[in-house]
Amino acid sequence: MVETLMKKQPDLDITYVEALCVKVAGLCHDLGHGPFSHTFDAMFIPKALKDDEVYKKDEKKFKHEHLSELVFDKIYEDKKEDFLKYGLGKHERKAVKELINPPNRGKEKSWKGKKANKANGIDVDNWDYYLRDCNALGLTSTFQLWRLMCNAKVLRTGKTEGTEHICFAKKTKDNIMEMFETRNLLHKKACQHRVCKAVELMIVDALLEDKETKERLRNAVIKAVEDENMDEYLQLTDSVLHDLKDSETRNRIYCRELYGFKEEFTEGQKDSKDTDKCIHHSFSLDYGKDNNPLEGVWLYKKSTNETFPAKVSFQLGGLHNIITVLLFIHQGNHSI
């Protein structure tokens, strides 16, 4: 993307070093993931550290984005001379970290820093897993990444002076829609699939049930966040599950004796008293944002470079902000 913008719009004055910062951030943005990726920071950490004051004080520090910053800091310190050879000094180090974990600055006026785009979800972070996971899972997606990239431009938008965005040619609107459809497809068929969730719930339970393992993982995370000592954290891999001494829950996963799936319903449809004895998992099956993501997308006319906001499509209407609840029971269920 950055190279495309450099070639198409030399007036942006994107330097070689700036482009290199974007590439380094792209390579490092997920290095902070713990064992089992999002399962670790979204499901294990909140349960393992729920009583720790340091966690309750600032939960965001325990997300993989911040941990990726810390891993990058360690790599930078270990290889500082190599970074400096390519012009990546103190200022560039900070820039890479802000690309990895963008700070909250309200309405950002700069188009730069769109490794993770909170405005509309169109960014290289999402593109990476859309394409990779569809390929790995054998899912068909009509989303054409290169078409979107080749029709991207940085242009001034709206009436606010100095506000620039990465805009896309009007003709790519359907392709953008297909991108959001791809996200929805992946979450429906894989990320939030009941078998996937059953396994994730059991992985977390297995790690929590083993007191020694739970404490080791907890200490590694706290040392990384509080002391910025990454040594123990960087040694954590998916092997923590295999290394459990005697775990019935782990063994059930290996034998595919998973938690039994009971039912799926929309939040609010059932009284919580009716489901107290079940294991709950809630999620929002949307297109990447609480509101329709097209509301944050800017398009342009190729003939004039005139920009305008993408109109909300009826195809996405009514599907956001709906919370789905999956119910599981501890008894095995071979059918899922």
Side-chain angles (χ1 to χ4, degrees):
M1 170 66 95
V2 68
E3 290 181 353
T4 300
L5 294 174
M6 289 174 74
K7 292 176 182 178
K8 291 183 64 174
Q9 295 180 269
D11 55 301
L12 294 175
D13 294 325
I14 303 173
T15 67
Y16 165 80
V17 172
E18 286 179 323
L20 187 57
C21 285
V22 174
K23 294 175 182 179
V24 172
L27 289 171
C28 297
H29 79 278
D30 271 344
L31 292 181
H33 273 303
F36 301 103
S37 192
H38 290 284
T39 303
F40 190 74
D41 67 340
M43 298 172 69
F44 175 81
I45 288 180
K47 291 184 177 181
L49 276 68
K50 64 180 180 180
D51 297 324
D52 287 86
E53 290 300 322
V54 62
Y55 174 73
K56 290 189 284 188
K57 184 178 179 181
D58 191 354
E59 295 181 11
K60 289 184 179 180
K61 284 187 175 181
F62 293 83
K63 299 294 184 181
H64 77 273
E65 291 88 352
H66 178 64
L67 287 161
S68 293
E69 287 187 72
L70 299 178
V71 175
F72 173 70
D73 274 335
K74 178 171 176 56
I75 295 173
Y76 189 94
E77 289 299 326
D78 291 346
K79 301 291 182 180
K80 192 170 185 177
E81 290 186 8
D82 293 325
F83 280 98
L84 292 175
K85 286 179 184 178
Y86 290 93
L88 301 182
K90 182 179 179 180
H91 174 75
E92 289 73 25
R93 177 182 183 175
K94 180 181 178 183
V96 169
K97 290 171 65 176
E98 290 191 353
L99 284 165
I100 291 173
N101 189 20
N104 185 9
R105 292 173 175 161
K107 292 186 178 180
E108 181 63 65
K109 289 188 176 182
S110 174
W111 58 272
K112 296 180 180 179
K114 297 307 182 188
K115 186 285 297 176
N117 187 353
K118 297 178 181 179
N120 55 42
I122 302 179
D123 57 50
V124 295
D125 190 3
N126 287 324
W127 290 343
D128 177 49
Y129 89 84
Y130 293 164
L131 299 181
R132 180 191 65 239
D133 290 0
C134 278
N135 181 64
L137 295 167
L139 297 176
T140 301
S141 170
T142 56
F143 167 53
Q144 297 174 300
L145 170 59
W146 293 108
R147 186 166 185 261
L148 200 58
M149 290 176 63
C150 291
N151 285 280
K153 277 187 178 182
V154 174
L155 296 169
R156 184 161 296 181
T157 61
K159 297 180 180 180
T160 306
E161 291 187 7
T163 302
E164 293 181 327
H165 291 277
I166 297 177
C167 306
F168 302 95
K170 180 182 178 181
K171 66 179 182 180
T172 64
K173 180 183 175 183
D174 286 345
N175 194 32
I176 295 172
M177 295 281 287
E178 288 162 353
M179 183 196 72
F180 290 122
E181 290 284 359
T182 297
R183 182 193 186 280
N184 186 267
L185 174 70
L186 278 171
H187 279 259
K188 184 181 294 183
K189 297 290 186 180
C191 304
Q192 304 298 340
H193 191 276
R194 61 189 187 186
V195 174
C196 179
K197 288 297 122 183
V199 172
E200 289 180 355
L201 288 166
M202 294 181 75
I203 288 172
V204 172
D205 284 350
L207 297 178
L208 292 173
E209 288 164 2
D210 189 294
K211 294 183 179 180
E212 182 180 335
T213 299
K214 175 187 174 182
E215 194 63 18
R216 179 165 68 91
L217 295 175
R218 175 187 165 278
N219 289 336
V221 174
I222 290 179
K223 284 183 181 179
V225 173
E226 280 292 279
D227 306 328
E228 297 189 3
N229 181 342
M230 304 299 294
D231 293 341
E232 290 184 27
Y233 188 78
L234 292 176
Q235 297 303 312
L236 302 179
T237 68
D238 292 357
S239 65
V240 293
L241 185 68
H242 180 73
D243 293 341
L244 295 176
K245 294 178 181 179
D246 185 21
S247 171
E248 180 183 349
T249 304
R250 185 271 317 275
N251 293 340
R252 283 181 59 182
I253 297 173
Y254 288 173
C255 297
R256 201 178 169 84
E257 295 177 3
L258 307 180
Y259 288 164
F261 175 72
K262 185 176 181 181
E263 63 179 314
E264 173 182 331
F265 59 91
T266 301
E267 189 175 60
Q269 286 184 340
K270 284 185 175 291
D271 191 322
S272 60
K273 294 181 180 179
D274 298 333
T275 61
D276 280 346
K277 296 182 179 181
C278 299
I279 306 166
H280 295 66
H281 173 72
S282 302
F283 63 93
S284 176
L285 195 61
D286 55 25
Y287 293 84
K289 301 287 287 183
D290 290 337
N291 295 313
N292 192 318
L294 284 183
E295 292 176 0
V297 178
W298 284 86
L299 306 176
Y300 71 89
K301 295 180 180 179
K302 295 197 75 172
S303 58
T304 63
N305 280 344
E306 176 188 352
T307 61
F308 55 95
K311 293 182 180 180
V312 176
S313 171
F314 69 91
Q315 295 178 42
L316 296 180
L319 290 179
H320 41 271
N321 294 330
I322 296 177
I323 306 299
T324 300
V325 181
L326 299 181
L327 291 185
F328 296 89
I329 54 177
H330 281 94
Q331 285 82 1
N333 185 343
H334 297 278
S335 66
I336 68 167

